[in-house]
Every structure is written in structure tokens, then in C-alpha cells.
């Protein structure tokens, strides 16, 4: 039976991320309990979650993971076990500066190692979804909800969007061989230009109707504003 994740509070306004639930992100969380019910050991779940607490993480951390699950609750999504696993593992391995797709490939392999006790079909479906998060193109069955949840922070209010950008920059700063912080910040932002342009070229950035209705305008406004700022900035 597919677990149904029902909203526990009113839906968030467009551009406003949900307030994190009081329930800790562990085996008792309503989004993770189905994995325990399916046979995932609580110790294994705790080990996976610990990856998100690594000290170099500023954005790709447990808070981001919790927000994704909270957004699922807010939108009343019916996540399958494979989708829950994909959310849980999608950033389990995060090496700043790694080649595109390598973090996702390693996270998928980690899933196979940690979840060998779960049905093989569920594990492989989850791995395929994780690989789709590398460029946010839904090639695998069931990838759409996970990709939408992962992009939700780009639809946050402008101040939060800026804060999230700074957090990603903090993860990457040591790799940018520019001494001046402001110049390094501009370099970092310019490197995101192509990704933002690719998203804006899509007919719809979000896949699910409820995400498009509530958040499509906000994500496009954020990305357009960032592109305009970058184009106006001196080289």
C-alpha cells in the first residue's frame, strides 16, 4: 500500500516555505516511518541522516531535507517508498565542486549499500530518481514530485532566496581561487547563470499542477531577478 502523506497544516503561501514541524527528522517522522515499516532498520536511517550533518554543509543539510518532507506534507503528496528513499538519499553524498552527476551517482550507490534489505525494485526506482536530480529532468517514473520538492527553495521569498544562495556559496567558497569575497561571490553567481537560464526556458519549471499553481510565478520571478542582476553587474 502506498503511504499517503497528508498535510498537517494550511498550505503555505506562494514563495513561503513551510515552517518546520516539531517532529524530529528520524524514524518517527510521518514521512520516514513508512521506510521503517518496509524493513529499513532505525540504525540505518540514523546513519543516513548523519551524512546531512557533515560540517562542510551549509545548504545541502538536514534542514533542506526536512523542508522537502515538510513540503510533501503541505501539498498532500502521496509519496511511494521509492520516492521517499530518493528524497532521503538524494544529497547523502555531497562533495563541493564534484563533477556534475557524480554526487548523485555516489548517493545512489550508497542507497544500494544501505538498503539491500529493501525490495530491489524499490531501491532501483529510487536510484533512478536520484540520478534525475543531477539536472532536474524527469526521465524516470515517479521523479516529478522529488524534483519539485528539491527545487522549492528557488521559489522562496527574495530574502530567503538570497540566504540560500549564500549558503551554497559558503559550501563552494574554498574552491574559488579569488581572494576578494565580493569578487568570489560574483563569480559563484555567474556560474549559476546557465542553470537558471535552462530552467526559465522550460514551458513549466515545476512538474506537478499544485506546485505550478502555487509556486511557478515565484520561482520565475526569483530566477529572472537574479539573471537581471548578473547582467547588470560589471564583469
Amino acid at each position: 500500500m502506498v503511504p499517503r502523506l497528508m498535510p498537517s497544516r494550511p498550505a503555505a503561501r506562494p514563495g513561503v516555505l513551510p515552517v518546520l514541524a516539531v517532529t524530529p527528522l528520524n524514524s518517527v517522522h510521518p514521512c520516514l516511518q513508512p521506510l521503517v515499516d518496509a524493513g529499513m532498520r532505525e540504525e540505518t536511517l540514523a546513519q543516513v541522516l548523519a551524512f546531512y550533518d557533515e560540517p562542510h554543509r551549509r545548504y545541502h543539510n538536514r534542514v533542506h531535507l526536512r523542508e522537502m518532507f515538510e513540503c510533501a506534507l503541505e501539498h498532500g503528496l502521496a509519496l511511494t517508498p521509492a520516492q521517499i528513499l530518493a528524497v532521503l538519499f538524494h544529497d547523502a553524498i555531497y562533495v563541493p565542486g564534484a563533477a556534475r552527476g557524480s554526487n548523485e551517482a555516489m548517493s545512489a550507490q550508497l542507497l544500494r549499500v544501505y538498503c539491500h534489505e529493501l525490495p530491489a525494485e524499490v531501491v532501483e526506482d529510487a536510484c533512478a530518481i536520484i540520478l534525475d536530480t543531477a539536472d532536474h529532468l524527469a526521465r524516470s517514473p515517479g521523479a516529478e514530485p522529488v524534483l519539485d520538492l528539491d527545487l522549492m527553495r528557488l521559489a522562496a521569498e527574495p530574502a530567503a532566496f538570497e540566504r540560500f544562495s549564500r549558503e551554497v556559496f559558503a559550501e563552494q567558497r574554498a574552491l574559488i581561487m579569488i581572494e576578494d569575497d565580493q569578487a568570489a561571490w560574483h563569480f559563484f553567481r555567474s556560474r549559476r547563470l546557465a542553470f537558471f537560464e535552462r530552467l526559465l526556458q522550460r514551458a513549466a519549471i515545476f512538474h506537478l499542477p499544485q506546485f505550478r499553481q502555487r509556486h511557478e510565478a515565484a520561482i520565475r520571478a526569483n530566477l529572472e531577478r537574479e539573471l537581471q542582476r548578473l547582467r547588470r553587474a560589471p564583469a
Side-chain angles (χ1 to χ4, degrees), residues 217-230:
I219 192 172
R220 288 188 176 276
N222 282 340
L223 299 186
E224 289 283 7
R225 184 180 60 255
E226 185 68 3
L227 293 183
Q228 290 173 10
R229 290 170 58 185
L230 284 169

Side-chain angles (χ1 to χ4, degrees), residues 36-53:
V36 177
D37 294 341
M40 188 174 189
R41 294 181 300 164
E42 293 188 23
E43 313 89 83
T44 300
L45 179 57
Q47 290 171 351
V48 176
L49 290 170
F51 281 95
Y52 291 87
D53 300 327

Side-chain angles (χ1 to χ4, degrees), residues 27-79:
S27 61
V28 303
H29 193 281
C31 294
L32 296 177
Q33 183 63 50
L35 296 183
V36 177
D37 294 341
M40 188 174 189
R41 294 181 300 164
E42 293 188 23
E43 313 89 83
T44 300
L45 179 57
Q47 290 171 351
V48 176
L49 290 170
F51 281 95
Y52 291 87
D53 300 327
E54 292 170 330
H56 70 277
R57 296 178 185 246
R58 297 294 184 271
Y59 178 97
H60 298 86
N61 55 23
R62 191 184 293 237
V63 176
H64 170 49
L65 197 63
R66 290 187 64 191
E67 283 180 357
M68 290 179 67
F69 283 125
E70 290 298 309
C71 282
L73 290 170
E74 291 284 345
H75 289 80
L77 297 183
L79 296 181

Side-chain angles (χ1 to χ4, degrees), residues 71-207:
C71 282
L73 290 170
E74 291 284 345
H75 289 80
L77 297 183
L79 296 181
T80 66
Q83 290 166 337
I84 298 172
L85 276 177
V87 173
L88 176 63
F89 276 88
H90 82 288
D91 283 332
I93 299 297
Y94 178 69
V95 179
R100 179 183 296 179
S102 60
N103 282 327
E104 291 80 7
M106 290 187 290
S107 294
Q109 185 58 28
L110 189 76
L111 191 159
R112 294 186 179 99
V113 171
Y114 273 67
C115 297
H116 58 86
E117 74 276 12
L118 299 180
E121 181 179 355
V122 171
V123 169
E124 290 308 311
D125 286 349
C127 288
I129 294 172
I130 291 172
L131 296 181
D132 285 354
T133 66
D135 52 13
H136 289 87
L137 291 175
R139 302 181 180 90
S140 308
E144 290 88 349
V146 178
L147 299 186
D148 283 359
L149 292 169
D150 198 24
L151 287 177
M152 267 298 297
R153 279 185 163 184
L154 294 181
E157 291 181 323
F161 179 90
E162 176 79 5
R163 185 177 75 253
F164 295 142
S165 296
R166 291 280 181 178
E167 289 171 354
V168 180
F169 172 63
E171 293 177 335
Q172 301 285 332
R173 180 63 181 97
L175 303 174
I176 302 174
M177 304 306 291
I178 300 174
E179 185 174 353
D180 181 74
D181 284 338
Q182 192 59 32
W185 167 239
H186 177 71
F187 174 82
F188 164 78
R189 290 168 60 215
S190 66
R191 296 282 297 205
R192 306 176 85 194
L193 184 66
F195 175 57
F196 289 170
E197 287 178 332
R198 287 196 299 271
L199 289 178
L200 287 168
Q201 288 168 1
R202 299 181 185 180
I205 297 174
F206 289 114
H207 299 84

